[in-house]
Amino acid sequence: MLSAAAKQFRANGYAAVSLRAIAKAAGLTTGSMYYHFKSKEDIVGEVLFQGHLIVLDQVKATLDNIATDDHEARLRGAIKTHILCLFGEDSLPAANIRIFSQVPQEVRSGAMATRRAYEALWIGLLEQAQRAGQIRANLSVPILLPLMLGAINWTTEWSNGDEDSLETIVTELMLLIQR
Amino acid sequence: MLSAAAKQFRANGYAAVSLRAIAKAAGLTTGSMYYHFKSKEDIVGEVLFQGHLIVLDQVKATLDNIATDDHEARLRGAIKTHILCLFGEDSLPAANIRIFSQVPQEVRSGAMATRRAYEALWIGLLEQAQRAGQIRANLSVPILLPLMLGAINWTTEWSNGDEDSLETIVTELMLLIQR
DNA sequence: GTCTATAGGATGATAGAC
DNA sequence: GTCTATCATCCTATAGAC
């Protein structure tokens, strides 16, 4: 149900997707939706929240399996995981990325907390890698992060998302930031 | 009129903006719009087309004023010009970037030609800079370009666009790709 | 060129039966 | 929990007066 919504938000944007379309894709009618959610904003709010949560959890899980001092592998793993989430099957994360700025402001504010948590994770990751000499010293992490995440998030606009292409992209990103 | 449309498309996405809203912002009524355009798709098609044209012209104009062998200045100038277009006053380019993938497919196809022309300009620019040793040799221009443009285009999602911030962003991007 | 008026349909949301 | 039926409102687009 959320994933039916996410799939369409991702493909068409927030306003273009009607409750009828979501309901139909989920095998329900409009009326039934209002038993689970109290409005369209409520649905999209949940999509945003879950979307963030999924990437955050996945990246954390990836990092848990990599030695804390292998900064190259940690960076590469985090980037790869983020991008895999974007192109994943019924991607709440991708919908999140795509429609975040189209959504009514109250909804956006509600999704800010998890977003900050995710960014904090990345800041720590990049700073540690830089201290260890993995990332070039002349780069500024607070600017680098949004630029890098932007480059990654934008791939949904031009990449077809097949495994080889994604691997190439990750490699190029690593070359860009590495010492 | 186009700029009134662009401003709203940029802020709210394609589907969320009604003809009434565009007309009101342009000081007209819905009926009058149909004297100038034959449909909403027609309007957005024109916004996309003009948006591309503006960035293309601006970047070309910038490059015309920089020596052909000063690759660092040419790169920096092109990046700065692109990003200035994005944050410009009534930004058709920014609307273009923002709604390109939300627009009906026929409209998108129609806007593809100018888009390719713009990308070709950048490919040439980056390849020349790389041949001259300005861009690190281990980077692959065909992958680097969409990543870089993605990073830049995404700035509209997080930067406020004031002059100092933009300058910082351009500098960081240059550090990323330079030798 | 711009207006008013309106057609014809889609949209978010609610009420109430089962 | 899911349905049908419906409301009020909005939408794109058109017709015709000025």
Side-chain angles (χ1 to χ4, degrees), chain A:
Chain A
M1 187 160 177
L2 278 179
S3 79
K7 204 173 291 183
Q8 297 192 57
F9 283 144
R10 170 185 177 175
N12 304 109
Y14 172 62
V17 176
S18 68
L19 288 176
R20 282 173 168 78
I22 297 173
K24 189 175 176 185
L28 295 174
T29 61
T30 355
S32 313
M33 305 278 296
Y34 284 85
Y35 176 80
H36 304 276
F37 302 95
K38 67 185 237 296
S39 69
K40 186 181 178 184
E41 294 193 5
D42 197 26
I43 296 176
V44 79
E46 199 55 25
V47 168
L48 290 187
F49 179 68
Q50 296 286 346
H52 267 131
L53 226 56
I54 289 172
V55 220
L56 183 61
D57 284 356
Q58 299 268 68
V59 172
K60 270 183 179 163
T62 300
L63 292 178
D64 283 347
N65 289 323
I66 304 177
T68 50
D69 62 340
D70 189 350
H71 297 286
E72 176 171 9
R74 288 173 76 78
L75 269 180
R76 195 184 182 88
I79 293 176
K80 187 67 184 289
T81 304
H82 181 106
I83 206 169
L84 280 177
C85 281
L86 277 184
F87 285 95
E89 195 51 26
D90 47 46
S91 181
L92 280 92
N96 182 326
I97 295 296
R98 175 75 195 287
I99 63 175
F100 190 81
S101 58
Q102 298 174 33
V103 138
Q105 213 201 9
E106 319 113 52
V107 181
R108 228 176 315 165
S109 325
M112 264 311 188
T114 35
R115 190 187 169 134
R116 297 251 184 263
Y118 186 59
E119 286 172 354
L121 174 71
W122 274 95
I123 292 279
L125 194 64
L126 292 174
E127 278 177 349
Q128 282 177 17
Q130 193 176 41
R131 259 196 298 272
Q134 241 322 290
I135 290 180
R136 275 177 291 142
N138 59 2
L139 295 174
S140 157
V141 168
I143 314 278
L144 175 60
L145 176 60
L147 286 176
M148 194 183 75
L149 288 183
I152 301 176
N153 292 340
W154 197 260
T155 56
T156 56
E157 303 271 330
W158 56 272
S159 171
N160 59 14
D162 75 69
E163 176 57 25
D164 285 355
S165 315
L166 296 187
E167 197 57 43
T168 311
I169 291 171
V170 174
T171 300
E172 185 84 356
L173 280 167
M174 288 297 288
L175 287 175
L176 274 168
I177 61 178
Q178 263 175 326
R179 199 163 68 88

Side-chain angles (χ1 to χ4, degrees), chain B residues 18-20 34 39-40:
Chain B
S18 68
L19 289 177
R20 279 176 167 78
Y34 284 86
S39 69
K40 186 181 178 183

